Amino acid sequence: GNTFFYLFRQLKFILLGVLIIFFVHLVPYRVFSRVSIVALYLAVPLLIITLIAGTNINEATRWLQIPGTGLTIQPSDFAKIALVMYVAKILSVNQNNIKEFRGVFGKISMAVVVTCALILPANFSTAAIVFVTAFSLMFVGRIPVRYLALMIFTGVFALSVFVGGSLLLDREGRIATWKNRIENYVDGEGDNYQADQAKVAIVQGGLFGKGPGNSTQRNLLPHPYSDFIYAIIIEEYGSLIGGILVIALYLWLFYRAGLIIRRSRSTYGAFLAFGLSMGLVLQAFVNMAVAVGLVPVTGQTLPLVSMGGSSIFFTSMATGMILSVSWGTREEASEKAMEESEKLK
């Protein structure tokens, strides 16, 4: 009965997100290196608890309810950040012996496989994003190509074992959902209601859109404020303004992160900024690709745009950490300039 419900609810989350960004960016980024192992050790039990006793929402057990608050979080969002922190640390402290199989690649691959394996049963798309992000970070971190090829083989083998084992035990669970979505996407038939309504929204939006607040598909599309918000943006603002502008903003975010990486004098800071920005932008493009029908339907939100508390909080945390690297890089540059100035005197 309150037409401003979503506006006020999202505004509350955004304000809290801005506070998270502000306070996290004040933390020296080197602190994240020190707590990375603790964060990963905390993320793994949370993922296990979610698998065993998580809250089921929209036919997926991805959420964990915080006792006494009524709030739910997705531990996979925290796991993504923790894994990037850990991988960045291992890569940065082992640049001189990066080709060591057991000490470097072994530690990283074990962390990636365990994290993805715990996310996979409930959320294939998130597990895939985590895997690709970690793989990209390892590639940038100069892990030998033969090791990366082995990691791809391991990932494909683990996925095959999971799917095959579930089918043999007659416990399809989420596999049946994956199968239906892929079949519907390939055939273009079946229960594809969400994707069909999103396409209708995009077509109705045209080049210039219907105008702010004039969407009709938001009344038909389930959760138009989260998974398929990009389609609603195009319907109201058009492909030229809404569609292209949103893509450009995410590309700009990645470009700005690239500048931070280039200026960073710390290997860990550069790896951390790359991994976090890569994860955010990759998730955004997966969401937009689903909305326009390029890939099968998944449950990914649009970072910093979709409504939701857990998603915004962890996205804000990642953004604050990227800004922490930027802030630390500026301080290090100014300190070096002052040292050089003192030497000249």
Side-chain angles (χ1 to χ4, degrees):
N2 181 5
T3 55
F4 288 99
F5 171 78
Y6 292 110
L7 175 65
F8 290 145
R9 186 170 186 267
Q10 180 69 352
L11 186 61
K12 177 178 67 176
F13 289 143
I14 289 175
L15 291 175
L16 288 173
V18 170
L19 289 175
I20 291 172
I21 291 174
F22 177 74
F23 286 112
V24 172
H25 109 282
L26 294 178
V27 179
Y29 69 88
R30 296 184 187 278
V31 173
F32 303 130
S33 174
R34 297 173 196 149
V35 302
S36 59
I37 298 178
V38 176
L40 190 62
Y41 283 167
L42 179 61
V44 170
L46 287 175
L47 291 173
I48 295 173
I49 294 171
T50 304
L51 277 179
I52 298 172
T55 302
N56 191 297
I57 301 177
N58 297 331
E59 300 180 359
T61 308
R62 303 172 184 171
W63 288 264
L64 201 60
Q65 190 163 10
I66 302 175
T69 63
L71 298 175
T72 57
I73 62 168
Q74 282 199 60
S76 59
D77 289 333
F78 174 67
K80 283 189 289 186
I81 296 175
L83 184 64
V84 168
M85 291 165 57
Y86 177 78
V87 174
K89 176 179 181 176
I90 299 299
L91 289 174
S92 62
V93 299
N94 290 284
Q95 281 297 293
N96 294 329
N97 57 328
I98 199 67
K99 294 182 179 181
E100 186 179 328
F101 183 85
R102 184 174 297 179
V104 181
F105 177 74
K107 290 181 180 179
I108 294 176
S109 59
M110 180 62 69
V112 173
V113 169
V114 170
T115 304
C116 292
L118 292 173
I119 296 173
L120 178 64
N123 197 339
F124 173 79
S125 58
T126 298
I129 289 173
V130 170
F131 184 87
V132 173
T133 301
F135 183 87
S136 302
L137 192 51
M138 292 167 69
F139 178 79
V140 172
R142 299 189 304 114
I143 292 290
V145 175
R146 62 182 183 276
Y147 295 168
L148 295 177
L150 177 61
M151 189 171 181
I152 293 176
F153 174 79
T154 304
V156 173
F157 177 76
L159 178 61
S160 302
V161 169
F162 173 74
V163 174
S166 300
L167 293 175
L168 285 174
L169 295 173
D170 198 23
R171 295 179 180 177
E172 292 190 6
R174 292 293 295 175
I175 295 176
T177 304
W178 305 345
K179 182 180 176 183
N180 290 335
R181 287 178 175 177
I182 293 173
E183 287 178 348
N184 292 339
Y185 175 77
V186 173
D187 299 337
E189 300 175 355
D191 185 13
N192 235 359
Y193 182 78
Q194 289 178 303
D196 291 341
Q197 296 302 321
K199 291 174 185 176
V200 172
I202 292 170
V203 171
Q204 289 185 352
L207 289 177
F208 304 104
K210 293 181 175 180
N214 293 327
S215 169
T216 54
Q217 291 307 111
R218 66 184 178 187
N219 301 314
L220 303 172
L221 189 61
H223 308 292
Y225 40 75
S226 56
D227 295 356
F228 284 89
I229 193 169
Y230 186 63
I232 304 301
I233 290 173
I234 294 178
E235 183 184 9
E236 294 193 355
Y237 296 91
S239 297
L240 284 179
I241 300 176
I244 295 177
L245 179 61
V246 172
I247 293 175
L249 288 172
Y250 283 109
L251 290 175
W252 179 252
L253 172 66
F254 198 57
Y255 169 72
R256 293 296 301 175
L259 294 181
I260 295 172
I261 295 166
R262 196 172 75 175
R263 289 197 301 261
S264 178
R265 299 179 182 276
S266 164
T267 309
Y268 177 74
F271 287 151
L272 182 66
F274 174 80
L276 293 174
S277 59
M278 179 73 179
L280 289 176
V281 175
L282 185 60
Q283 180 180 334
F285 274 84
V286 168
N287 174 280
M288 292 185 286
V290 169
V292 301
L294 290 178
V295 297
V297 175
T298 65
Q300 293 300 318
T301 56
L302 193 57
L304 298 172
V305 177
S306 293
M307 190 181 80
S310 173
S311 175
I312 288 180
F313 295 158
F314 287 113
T315 301
S316 298
M317 184 184 296
T319 306
M321 292 168 73
I322 295 171
L323 291 175
S324 173
V325 176
S326 176
W327 185 261
T329 299
R330 290 183 181 183
E331 287 188 333
E332 290 166 1
S334 67
E335 287 175 3
K336 185 176 181 181
M338 289 179 64
E339 290 176 0
E340 292 177 350
S341 177
E342 289 294 328
K343 288 179 180 178
L344 289 175
K345 290 179 180 180

